[in-house]
Amino acid sequence: MPHTVSRYLAEGSRVGIRPFALEDGPEFTARARESKDLHRPWLFPPDAEDVYADYAGRLIEDPAKAGFLVCELDGGGIAGFININNIVRGGFQCGALGYGAFAHAAGRGLMREGLDLVIGYAFGPLGLHRLEINAQPENTASIALARGAGFRLEGFSPKMIYIDGDWRDHERWALTAEMRG
């Protein structure tokens, strides 16, 4: 029997992760539109195809970014996304994570499984040593995901990131390859 090559970079029991593709625009933007109530005021993923094309293009082309779609293995639908931004090489080997679940997948543990796969990929094939998550203190779902994945709280930064018309406070969470075990 021939071996089938997976379209995923890594697979868990319910999800796989794969890179963004320009062809994902229609599904991604439809899911983003359906998820506005879940995402606001924390997150503003592209909800129009032209905006998605620019967003995905940067994730695909920029070596300081790596974007991953979290897809359900049963059917392949996009459950969410996890991006590693601001990748710095050399002595730092670090990147900053950003992520979002889509409403149909929220609360089902799919993003937790996807985050675990992305962390493994980041510390494995990508060769990173440290990952950081910056979350607004009121975003309890994002903080729970970071904590559940083993990230430790390292600090608080007032007015750290400009989001939705204002500078927002953030908690800083981090995980190193050694902490992962």
Side-chain angles (χ1 to χ4, degrees), residues 41-44 136 161-170:
W42 322 113
L43 186 61
F44 297 82
Q136 294 176 60
I161 302 174
Y162 193 77
I163 300 173
D164 194 26
D166 200 7
W167 289 97
R168 310 289 179 180
D169 299 344
H170 281 73

Side-chain angles (χ1 to χ4, degrees), residues 104-157:
H104 75 284
R108 296 174 43 206
L110 302 175
M111 288 300 290
R112 175 65 186 88
E113 186 176 327
L115 181 56
D116 189 57
L117 295 172
V118 169
I119 292 167
Y121 193 80
F123 290 156
L126 285 182
L128 297 179
H129 175 259
R130 177 183 170 89
L131 293 170
E132 299 175 353
I133 294 172
N134 297 300
Q136 294 176 60
E138 300 82 14
N139 190 345
T140 56
S142 183
I143 290 170
L145 186 59
R147 184 179 287 121
F151 284 72
R152 71 173 172 233
L153 179 62
E154 290 193 333
F156 177 81
S157 295

